[in-house]
Amino acid sequence: MASVDGIEAASAQFPRPADRIFQYGTAGFRMKASLLDCVVFRVGLLAALRSRKLNGQIIGVMITASHNPPDDNGVKLVDPMGEMLEASWESYATTLANASSDKALVEAYEKLTSDLNIKPESKARVVLARDTRASGPRLVSALVEALKVTGAEYTDYTLLTTPQLHYITRCLNTKGTPYEYGEPTEQGYYEKTAASFKTAMQGRKPNGGVIVDCANGIGGPKLRELLKYLPSLSEGGLDIKIVNDDVVQPERLNYQCGADFVKTGQRAPPSSQAAPLARCASLDGDADRIVYYFVDSDETFRLLDGDRIATLAALFIGDLAKHAGLAEKLKVGVVQTAYANGASTDYITQHLKLPVVCTPTGVKHLHHAATKFDVGVYFEANGHGTVVFSDLALKRIGKYEPQSPAQHAALATLRALTQLINQAVGDALSDLLLVEVILAHKGWGPKEWDLTYTDLPNRLVRVEVKDRNIFKTVDAERKLESPPGVQGQIDSLVGKYKNGRSFARASGTEDAVRVYAEAATRGEADDLAGKVAGLVKQASV
C-alpha cells in the first residue's frame, strides 16, 4: 500500500485542470486527451483499491475513447469477470477524479480505504492496455505512476482491442477454477476464437466474402492477426477484405469511417468501393461495436445494425436449441433499449415468439438484464452487444446427450457458439464471426438477412440545451418525467402519426438531448423528430 506522502508527491506531477467536473459513466471517463492525465492517475489509484477490496483479484484498465475523434481519449475499469466496473464504484471514481488538490486526493483515498474496510496489506493486481491514439503512451505513464506508488503488481499488454482486455482479465481471474475461460494471452484469444469458429461452421461454405472497415483503429491489426489463425479459403474459411486499417496516421482514426459514422450517417464510408449486394461491416475505434450494411441493386444503402444482429442471433440460437432437443430447457430472451426499431421488437415477439425486455441505454443495463435469461441476447442499435449464457445453460448444453444425428449436429454448433461468443462484453471481432457462421448456415447474403423484416423509417436528432440535467426519464428512458408537461405534448404529437413513436433523453456526456422518432414513412419520421426536437428546445429555455 502506498504512503500518503508518495501519493501526494506523485499526484503533483499530474495537476487537475481548474473548473472541470469529471463524471464516470458507462464509458468510464472520456474527454479531450489533454485533460486526462490527472484523471488516469486517479483511476490507477482506484484500480489498486478495487483489487485490494476483492482480495487481489485482477482488475483491468483500458485507455480508449472508442468512436470519439482522435484528439479525445478515455479510461475505464474492468471487473474480474471481464464485466464493467460495479455501479456502486462509479461514484468513488468520480470522487477521486474531482478531488480539488493533491492533499484532498489523499484524504479521499484514505477515506475510501477506511469506509470500504480495505486491508492495506492485501495484494493489488492490475492489467492494462490501450488503443492506437497518439495520447495513449503518455496516459499509460500516468496510470503506471499510480500503480507503482500504490504498490500494485501490473502487466502492460500495450495495444489491444477493448474486448481483448476484458477477455484476458476474465481468463486470469478464472484460471484453475471450474469457470476457466481460456488462455489469458492475446494468442489464447485468437486460438479460442478461431477453433470455435471452425467447429461452428460445420463444414459449411460462406456465401461470398465480407469487406471489413476497421475505422483506422486497433481492430485493423488485430483482425489481421486473427486471420492467421482462421481456416484458409481453400479450407472453407472466410474471404475477409480489410479496409480503413491505417494506424500509422492517428489523425485518421474514425475519420469518415467506422461503425458510428455508418450508423449515424446511414451511408457507407466515402472510401467504400463495394459492389452492389457486397457484404460490408464496420467496426468502431476500439473494436467493441460492429454494424453490417450493403448497397442494393438499385443503389439504395441498407443498414444491418445492432437490432438486426440481435434478431439474427436470437433466430439462430432459438432454432439450434429446438433442433438439439433443448428448446424446453433453455429460455432464450432478447434485451433492447428504447432506440431499438419497433419493427425489430415486433419481429422478435410475434415471429420468433421470444420475450423482449427494454432497459435504459448503457451496456451495463443490457448485460445485467441479459443474465436473467438462460440465453440472453443483447445488442444496442449502435452495434455493441453480445450473447450471455447462464451457468445452468452451459451445464445443460455441455451435458445433454443428443438422440439423433440432427440433434448431435445442432448441439455441436451450439456448444461452439458458447466458445466463439465473447460473453464478457460486446466484441466486434467475435460478433463478426458469429454473423458469418449464421449466414453460412442459412445460405444467406445480406439481402436475405435484410428481408427478415422491414424497419420503420426513423430519425435521430441531437438538440443542444443549456442544462441536460433538467431532462429526467422513466420507463427505461421512454418517457420524460421532467420538465413537467413535455411528455404529454410528445404523446399528443405521436398520436397524429401512423406507427408513430418518439422519445427524448439527455446525453450522458454533453449538454444535449437526443430525440428519436419513427413512423410509417420517412417524411413522417423526419417531421415527428423535428417537432419533438422543437418541444425539447422550447423546454430548455
Side-chain angles (χ1 to χ4, degrees):
M1 193 74 169
S3 72
V4 169
D5 291 342
I7 291 178
E8 192 168 344
S11 176
Q13 301 173 58
F14 311 104
R16 183 177 179 277
D19 305 320
R20 296 289 306 197
I21 301 295
F22 303 113
Q23 179 73 44
Y24 192 101
T26 299
F29 292 110
R30 195 177 287 180
M31 64 200 78
K32 288 289 179 207
S34 57
L35 301 171
L36 258 177
D37 299 69
C38 81
V39 174
V40 172
F41 174 79
R42 294 167 184 217
V43 166
L45 301 182
L46 190 72
L49 283 178
R50 180 73 177 149
S51 179
R52 285 195 167 96
K53 175 64 181 174
L54 298 177
N55 299 314
Q57 288 190 80
I58 294 162
I59 298 299
V61 184
M62 185 70 199
I63 295 176
T64 180
S66 187
H67 58 277
N68 281 37
D71 290 344
D72 288 359
N73 215 326
V75 60
K76 57 185 174 183
L77 292 173
V78 179
D79 259 359
M81 286 300 283
E83 73 273 55
M84 302 176 81
L85 177 66
E86 184 185 303
S88 63
W89 277 65
E90 292 180 6
S91 62
Y92 307 150
T94 300
T95 297
L96 291 181
N98 288 304
S100 57
S101 65
D102 302 328
K103 186 177 180 184
L105 173 63
V106 170
E107 290 169 359
Y109 179 85
E110 289 187 311
K111 186 174 189 306
L112 278 179
T113 304
S114 171
D115 290 352
L116 296 169
N117 296 315
I118 294 170
K119 296 173 183 172
E121 66 275 12
S122 295
K123 191 175 279 190
R125 298 186 295 167
V126 176
V127 292
L128 60 128
R130 60 182 172 87
D131 68 12
T132 55
R133 292 165 192 272
S135 56
R138 188 189 83 238
L139 296 175
V140 165
S141 298
L143 175 61
V144 166
E145 197 64 36
L147 298 176
K148 284 179 177 175
V149 81
T150 53
E153 297 174 14
Y154 67 91
T155 303
D156 182 0
Y157 283 87
T158 61
L159 294 165
L160 290 178
T161 69
T162 294
Q164 286 176 328
L165 184 73
H166 283 255
Y167 165 86
I168 286 171
T169 303
R170 183 165 178 160
C171 289
L172 287 166
N173 284 300
T174 57
K175 196 165 179 62
T177 76
Y179 303 100
E180 193 158 325
Y181 196 61
E183 189 59 35
T185 62
E186 186 180 346
Q187 182 178 338
Y189 170 91
Y190 298 130
E191 289 173 345
K192 179 182 178 181
T193 304
S196 54
F197 170 76
K198 188 173 182 180
T199 304
M201 286 293 278
Q202 295 274 308
R204 284 170 172 78
K205 296 278 194 247
N207 188 359
V210 58
I211 300 166
V212 184
D213 153 33
C214 295
N216 293 318
I218 187 68
K222 300 310 180 186
L223 179 54
R224 286 200 185 280
E225 195 61 31
L226 175 58
L227 286 182
K228 296 175 185 175
Y229 295 81
L230 291 173
S232 67
L233 275 177
S234 60
E235 298 170 317
L238 275 175
D239 178 13
I240 295 180
K241 181 186 177 187
I242 297 173
V243 297
N244 295 323
D245 64 334
D246 180 1
V247 294
V248 176
Q249 302 176 74
E251 68 277 7
R252 295 192 63 186
L253 174 68
N254 295 320
Y255 179 69
Q256 295 199 324
C257 59
D260 195 57
F261 175 87
V262 171
K263 170 68 177 165
T264 305
Q266 303 272 313
R267 62 191 179 107
S271 59
S272 176
Q273 304 288 312
L277 300 180
R279 193 159 70 252
C280 303
S282 283
L283 320 182
D284 69 340
D286 64 338
D288 66 355
R289 293 185 193 182
I290 184 169
V291 295
Y292 271 74
Y293 50 94
F294 68 102
V295 176
D296 215 334
S297 48
D298 64 359
E299 298 194 353
T300 303
F301 175 80
R302 308 292 295 174
L303 178 67
L304 298 158
D305 62 6
D307 293 343
R308 294 280 180 176
I309 298 171
T311 54
L312 186 71
L315 165 67
F316 189 59
I317 291 169
D319 282 351
L320 284 178
K322 196 184 304 173
H323 294 145
L326 283 165
E328 300 303 314
K329 292 185 168 66
L330 295 177
K331 185 183 180 187
V332 181
V334 181
V335 185
Q336 297 184 319
T337 71
Y339 287 111
N341 194 278
S344 72
T345 310
D346 287 345
Y347 175 77
I348 297 162
T349 56
Q350 305 303 316
H351 183 76
L352 301 183
K353 306 294 185 190
L354 295 174
V356 172
V357 172
C358 188
T359 73
T361 305
V363 178
K364 63 185 176 187
H365 300 299
L366 288 110
H367 192 95
H368 179 71
T371 62
K372 306 296 184 191
F373 294 105
D374 294 326
V375 183
V377 180
Y378 76 85
F379 277 84
E380 292 186 287
N382 64 23
H384 189 289
T386 190
V387 182
V388 181
F389 294 83
S390 71
D391 290 340
L392 181 61
L394 291 172
K395 197 172 289 181
R396 283 178 172 161
I397 293 167
K399 290 188 172 180
Y400 185 72
E401 293 288 342
Q403 307 298 308
S404 68
Q407 283 194 2
H408 185 276
L411 191 63
T413 303
L414 188 56
R415 285 173 177 162
L417 290 190
T418 67
Q419 297 297 305
L420 174 62
I421 294 163
N422 187 341
Q423 294 180 57
V425 71
D427 182 341
L429 300 187
S430 83
D431 289 340
L432 169 76
L433 297 183
L434 170 65
V435 169
E436 293 301 320
V437 164
I438 299 171
L439 294 180
H441 275 260
K442 291 279 186 189
W444 285 357
K447 189 166 187 178
E448 290 80 7
W449 179 11
D450 188 47
L451 288 172
T452 48
Y453 63 86
T454 303
D455 272 326
L456 287 165
N458 58 89
R459 179 62 67 202
L460 184 61
V461 178
R462 178 179 170 278
V463 184
E464 289 190 10
V465 295
K466 285 182 181 175
D467 180 10
R468 70 179 185 270
N469 296 310
I470 67 170
F471 293 89
K472 309 280 187 193
T473 61
V474 291
D475 188 23
E477 301 179 326
R478 291 176 287 192
K479 301 281 185 188
L480 272 179
E481 181 180 53
S482 162
V486 177
Q487 186 59 50
Q489 293 174 290
I490 293 174
D491 291 341
S492 177
L493 277 174
V494 166
K496 297 174 182 176
Y497 296 84
K498 186 181 178 185
N499 297 334
R501 183 171 74 93
S502 184
F503 65 90
R505 64 173 286 273
S507 165
T509 56
E510 56 184 342
D511 274 327
V513 170
R514 305 200 190 283
V515 171
Y516 176 88
E518 62 187 29
T521 68
R522 163 61 61 206
E524 288 179 303
D526 290 348
D527 192 50
L528 179 55
K531 285 179 176 170
V532 174
L535 290 177
V536 168
K537 197 82 175 166
Q538 200 176 349
S540 69
V541 175

